[in-house]
Amino acid sequence: MICSLWFSSLANAADFVGSFACKSCHEQAFKDWQGSDHDMAMKHADEQSVFGDFNQITINHQNQQYRFFKKQESYWVNLADRQGKLTDYQISFTFGYYPLQQYMVEFEDGRVQLIPFAWDNRKVEDGGQKWFYLYPNNSAQHQDFYWLNAGQNWNHMCADCHSTNVKKNYNPQTNRFDTQFAEINVGCEACHGAASDHLSWANDSPSKNANNEGASSALVIAETPFKGFDRTLAKSVAQWQRSNLGSARSSSENTAKPLAKQDSQQLQTCAQCHSRRLQLNDKEPLVTKPFGDRYQLNLIAQAQYFDDGQVYDENYVYGSFLQSKMHENSVVCSNCHNPHTTELILQGNSLCSQCHEPATFDTSEHHKHDNNTGSLCVNCHMPETTYMQIDDRRDHSFSIPVPANTQRLGSPNACNQCHDDKSTQWAIEHSTSWYPELNTFVPQHFSSAFASARAGNPNSVDALSYLSQDHQQANIIRAAAIERLQQFTGRNGIVAIARAVKHQDEMLRVAAVEGSSPYTIAERWQMLAPLLTDEVLMIRSQAAAALANYWQQLSSQQQAQLEAPLKEYIEILSFNADRGFARTNLGNLYANQGFANKAEASYKASIDVQPNFAGAYTNLADLYRSQGKESAAVQILEQGIIAKPDSGTLRFSQALALLRSKQNDAALKSLKMATKLEPNNGRFWYVYAIALTPYSIGEAATAFNKAYQVSGNPQYLFALCELMIDNRSPQSLQCLNKLTPLVPNNVVEDLKARLPN
């Protein structure tokens, strides 16, 4: 258990000496760090760390009472277990402190889980100093954020960022954890790296040891870079140049420019935690190595970002920041934040005025507001999104607010976030009166291509291809464009992917793996084969995994080329084997290689470790179907629906299995439920419409139309037009008029030829 391993973990990590070893020489930095977000990231639960009220507090939630209390010096909570039985659990650790504090329970199998209640640590006048249920809409046992499920597991979800030098130590065979760390919170060495050599450097010097036996070792220490550390966290720009010319010049001319740059590992060091990513291993921390040797960064994915790049779901800053002009100009975190206090180094617009001439930007002529909240740079260029009910976090893409994008794309705008009593049209009119070009549609902006791709427009392939090759765009945007090409095929797409494979930025290269997915194995092999020996672990392993999907079609020579990177891919899956996705992906690999028994075992193991992971059930059902075991496929899908009743995918797979078994009525019910659970899935509506056609033309037409409306896929509109023509609908011509600009002329002409005379 973690508590008992505190000292042994330090002994096992000899190069890590602990933050208190830094105090004597770095007194001010240590003082700044104490009480900071990093210091309070995780603590043993005691009188100094616990802010919540555990004085026999009882609260009601969903017709059940929960208690927070103390036993001598320990803290306890009375919660319902999986069987609904109220059970006393000891609080082992605290998590964070402001604006909320969370608490964790440690189990005998090494698992550490966050309880579902959090303490609102804001002031009473701000609505704080009370317990609240953290995820009220995601609390059922089949949901990820139920407190005993994987979504609230510290070992996988949180540990790597909230403690120092974490080793997860998950045993796939026993399904147990032996997670250890060098320091319980985010200490000095979490950022600076192991400090033992730095201490040697500080205590020894070549001059002091020139005449003794320690001279050679001291010389070695002295010659190590960065005073015994393996990295520098200095600012990337050593000197800025600013014109100070005032408002007579353009905005660009009144913004400081980097004059002298220097090597720094600061941004990548911060990004390890302040990013949305999948951890691939917990080997030595990154310094100058590629980010993808330890993590797989989430690009500008449709599920986490709006099409204009604004953050929707949590991305923890880095993905937004990589889009920004700040990043383009080598700004790093410490240009704005004190890394020890984690607070801003200056308040208000003074922070931005370090680079942006206040005579130009900090004026009503620029921001069009009086001296109020609207005049603050961050409120327009870094709007807040609230997570965990009370935690406001700013968007770090530093974008310009465009209210018209709310109409075009459905993304938020900073104007209406403040003026929430006003309409979007009001915001458009006011901002246009200030900046006439602001709300003008710019087809070259990446949001146009992203919105088109989200709608499933086949013509998106060209826009995405051009975007991915636009050197004026941030690399993360170009990579996201490549990733979105997985929905489409086309000559320009092939060219874009081929160039991405050769790009120096690892984000574009790994995106090419996804972007190539709709092509044939021959085409895909030609595209991705160079990546099998890529210098970055993430890229070569993902390329191998993608090509292994076609294992039976590969030559023995090609299979041999996959052997080494597939071994690394399996190591990544083994590291993440505490999660259903990893064991399911391993099952997929075995299934493609023809190892049915191993595949079945992996899928079942996935269900064991994460019963609510829908993909394990659907893939196991597909395996059974390929073996002619239709009844077993239906049975496993039924088991999955019990474990994950809100999954539309499971209902859809069940419907397909029932259709194959000629159980059409039951299949229709499952399809209807699938569309209800996932109403924005066009494919579900499309298949539902096909299944409805023999029974009700009207309902089928409605379903085809819904499929097109939610996806924008012309194939679904084509199916609707064909249905109307075949059934002599008076609206057939109207449907064809809508289809005409979306498909080749010959397609429309063929349909028109079938119209009744």
Side-chain angles (χ1 to χ4, degrees):
M1 297 172 68
I2 294 177
C3 291
S4 63
L5 291 173
W6 169 246
F7 292 107
S8 64
S9 63
L10 284 173
N12 291 337
D15 290 336
F16 284 80
V17 299
S19 296
F20 282 86
C22 309
K23 181 179 179 180
S24 60
C25 293
H26 304 281
E27 188 173 349
Q28 185 58 51
F30 186 87
K31 183 179 179 181
D32 289 345
W33 169 77
Q34 285 188 302
S36 69
D37 289 331
H38 285 162
D39 178 26
M40 300 300 294
M42 182 171 169
K43 294 279 191 178
H44 293 287
D46 57 30
E47 187 177 353
Q48 286 72 42
S49 65
V50 173
F51 290 94
D53 188 350
F54 282 83
N55 294 310
Q56 295 295 333
I57 299 297
T58 301
I59 63 174
N60 295 309
H61 177 72
Q62 295 183 347
N63 300 318
Q64 201 160 31
Q65 289 190 332
Y66 300 90
R67 290 189 303 116
F68 301 84
F69 59 100
K70 292 179 68 175
K71 292 182 182 179
Q72 297 180 345
E73 300 302 317
S74 58
Y75 298 82
W76 293 76
V77 61
N78 184 256
L79 291 175
D81 62 16
R82 291 191 185 277
Q83 287 70 44
K85 179 183 176 182
L86 289 173
T87 304
D88 291 346
Y89 296 96
Q90 183 178 356
I91 300 298
S92 295
F93 308 104
T94 65
F95 224 45
Y97 80 107
Y98 192 86
L100 68 152
Q101 185 171 65
Q102 294 180 267
Y103 303 90
M104 293 184 287
V105 170
E106 188 175 11
F107 292 88
E108 289 297 327
D109 62 358
R111 211 170 302 271
V112 178
Q113 299 291 136
L114 290 120
I115 70 170
F117 293 93
W119 177 254
D120 185 337
N121 204 31
R122 299 174 300 169
K123 297 178 181 178
V124 172
E125 52 266 35
D126 295 329
Q129 298 300 301
K130 65 179 185 294
W131 291 101
F132 67 102
Y133 201 90
L134 196 53
Y135 298 105
N137 299 321
N138 203 342
S139 60
Q141 286 200 30
H142 65 270
Q143 293 174 312
D144 287 339
F145 282 82
Y146 171 67
W147 82 279
L148 291 172
N149 283 351
Q152 293 293 281
N153 171 248
W154 166 84
N155 310 74
H156 179 98
M157 296 288 292
C158 320
D160 185 56
C161 290
H162 279 256
S163 299
T164 302
N165 190 36
V166 174
K167 302 300 179 184
K168 185 167 69 171
N169 294 336
Y170 173 71
N171 188 321
Q173 284 71 44
T174 62
N175 191 24
R176 296 176 66 90
F177 291 93
D178 183 24
T179 304
Q180 301 183 30
F181 42 66
E183 197 161 5
I184 192 171
N185 51 8
V186 180
C188 307
E189 292 164 297
C191 301
H192 292 278
S196 59
D197 283 351
H198 175 67
L199 292 182
S200 297
W201 172 88
N203 292 326
D204 299 303
S205 70
S207 59
K208 286 188 342 185
N209 293 282
N211 298 314
N212 61 38
E213 294 179 357
S216 60
S217 63
L219 284 168
V220 171
I221 295 296
E223 291 171 358
T224 58
F226 315 128
K227 301 179 181 180
F229 284 119
D230 59 4
R231 70 195 72 179
T232 173
L233 302 182
K235 295 180 175 69
S236 294
V237 178
Q239 185 178 355
W240 294 88
Q241 182 180 48
R242 56 187 303 166
S243 60
N244 290 316
L245 294 174
S247 58
R249 298 286 177 156
S250 69
S251 296
S252 175
E253 291 175 308
N254 278 290
T255 299
K257 302 293 189 299
L259 183 62
K261 297 183 181 181
Q262 58 190 1
D263 289 338
S264 173
Q265 286 80 49
Q266 182 186 138
L267 185 61
Q268 180 156 280
T269 298
C270 298
Q272 290 184 95
C273 291
H274 293 276
S275 63
R276 183 154 184 159
R277 78 290 187 279
L278 171 69
Q279 189 175 359
L280 307 180
N281 55 59
D282 56 12
K283 297 177 183 177
E284 67 272 10
L286 295 175
V287 183
T288 56
K289 292 183 178 181
F291 192 79
D293 272 357
R294 182 171 167 124
Y295 303 104
Q296 181 169 339
L297 181 67
N298 185 299
L299 302 178
I300 309 300
Q302 294 184 26
Q304 281 87 47
Y305 296 83
F306 292 99
D307 290 327
D308 60 358
Q310 290 190 77
V311 62
Y312 169 69
D313 203 357
E314 293 178 277
N315 72 2
Y316 309 104
V317 175
Y318 189 52
S320 293
F321 186 67
L322 288 178
Q323 304 175 46
S324 70
K325 290 184 178 179
M326 307 293 182
H327 175 252
E328 181 183 346
N329 285 282
S330 301
V331 171
V332 292
C333 310
S334 64
N335 287 111
C336 298
H337 299 271
N338 181 323
H340 299 118
T341 65
T342 65
E343 301 292 338
L344 295 173
I345 60 176
L346 293 169
Q347 296 302 310
N349 290 350
S350 297
L351 184 70
C352 306
S353 296
Q354 294 179 101
C355 292
H356 301 279
E357 179 59 44
T360 300
F361 297 101
D362 195 8
T363 65
S364 58
E365 183 180 357
H366 174 72
H367 53 63
K368 311 297 183 183
H369 287 76
D370 296 329
N371 189 23
N372 54 29
T373 57
S375 66
L376 293 175
C377 308
V378 293
N379 286 340
C380 288
H381 299 288
M382 298 182 70
E384 291 179 327
T385 302
T386 302
Y387 302 103
M388 306 174 81
Q389 299 191 50
I390 62 172
D391 192 3
D392 299 330
R393 304 182 196 175
R394 292 196 178 276
D395 191 317
H396 279 65
S397 61
F398 301 97
S399 58
I400 297 172
V402 181
N405 281 345
T406 302
Q407 284 187 347
R408 288 193 289 260
L409 309 171
S411 57
N413 71 82
C415 303
N416 287 125
Q417 284 187 305
C418 282
H419 301 278
D420 56 5
D421 60 331
K422 303 294 185 181
S423 68
T424 302
Q425 189 58 41
W426 173 89
I428 293 173
E429 291 171 359
H430 272 69
S431 57
T432 301
S433 70
W434 299 332
Y435 295 98
E437 303 299 321
L438 178 68
N439 290 293
T440 303
F441 175 64
V442 181
Q444 296 83 10
H445 191 269
F446 67 80
S447 59
S448 300
F450 285 2
S452 179
R454 187 187 294 270
N457 186 342
N459 295 327
S460 301
V461 63
D462 293 335
L464 292 171
S465 300
Y466 298 146
L467 174 63
S468 72
Q469 298 170 75
D470 183 356
H471 296 277
Q472 301 301 312
Q473 301 288 344
N475 282 340
I476 194 169
I477 295 297
R478 298 173 64 186
I482 290 290
E483 194 173 57
R484 281 165 171 76
L485 283 172
Q486 65 185 288
Q487 302 169 244
F488 316 101
T489 58
R491 179 174 178 79
N492 286 328
I494 293 175
V495 172
I497 293 166
R499 289 180 175 173
V501 165
K502 300 176 182 178
H503 199 274
Q504 63 181 3
D505 192 294
E506 66 184 70
M507 290 186 293
L508 273 78
R509 300 202 304 279
V510 76
V513 177
E514 287 293 323
S516 67
S517 58
Y519 295 95
T520 66
I521 176 54
E523 293 169 320
R524 209 172 184 200
W525 182 273
Q526 188 173 2
M527 293 177 188
L528 301 185
L531 299 182
L532 296 175
T533 55
D534 196 278
E535 65 176 356
V536 179
L537 169 64
M538 169 187 64
I539 297 171
R540 60 181 182 267
S541 62
Q542 287 298 308
L547 293 172
N549 288 329
Y550 311 92
W551 188 264
Q552 303 300 334
Q553 303 174 51
L554 301 178
S555 67
S556 57
Q557 182 180 4
Q558 289 173 320
Q559 291 175 354
Q561 285 182 256
L562 294 182
E563 183 176 348
L566 274 183
K567 181 180 179 181
E568 293 178 309
Y569 176 64
I570 292 172
E571 289 174 354
I572 293 170
L573 298 182
S574 180
F575 175 77
N576 287 294
D578 55 310
R579 300 304 292 265
F581 81 86
R583 294 192 187 241
T584 297
N585 286 346
L586 183 59
N588 294 341
L589 177 60
Y590 286 144
N592 291 325
Q593 291 179 325
F595 303 128
N597 291 338
K598 287 185 175 182
E600 181 179 13
S602 291
Y603 294 141
K604 287 182 175 179
S606 175
I607 293 170
D608 288 340
V609 299
Q610 192 175 348
N612 68 336
F613 184 70
Y617 299 96
T618 56
N619 282 278
L620 181 53
D622 287 343
L623 178 67
Y624 286 149
R625 180 178 58 81
S626 70
Q627 297 171 328
K629 302 176 182 178
E630 288 290 351
S631 60
V634 171
Q635 185 177 357
I636 197 64
L637 290 170
E638 289 173 349
Q639 179 184 335
I641 289 169
I642 293 172
K644 186 69 172 173
D646 58 353
S647 170
T649 299
L650 284 169
R651 296 282 184 174
F652 183 74
S653 296
Q654 181 189 50
L656 297 181
L658 292 169
L659 285 171
R660 289 190 295 269
S661 301
K662 309 300 182 184
Q663 301 179 56
N664 294 346
D665 291 343
L668 278 173
K669 291 179 181 178
S670 293
L671 284 169
K672 184 176 182 179
M673 180 58 71
T675 60
K676 182 179 180 180
L677 291 169
E678 297 185 30
N680 293 321
N681 190 310
R683 183 167 178 250
F684 290 1
W685 283 106
Y686 176 65
V687 175
Y688 183 39
I690 293 173
L692 278 170
T693 300
Y695 301 94
S696 173
I697 299 301
E699 290 184 44
T702 300
F704 276 129
N705 185 55
K706 185 70 173 179
Y708 172 66
Q709 292 299 327
V710 300
S711 70
N713 190 332
Q715 177 187 354
Y716 303 154
L717 183 59
F718 173 90
L720 175 60
C721 295
E722 189 174 43
L723 180 71
M724 288 181 171
I725 292 170
D726 290 345
N727 290 276
R728 299 178 177 272
S729 169
Q731 296 177 317
S732 298
L733 191 57
Q734 181 181 349
C735 185
L736 287 174
N737 290 337
K738 185 183 291 187
L739 181 66
T740 298
L742 304 176
V743 298
N745 290 334
N746 64 302
V747 173
V748 177
E749 293 303 319
D750 288 344
L751 286 177
K752 284 183 177 180
R754 294 163 56 181
L755 285 169
N757 294 326

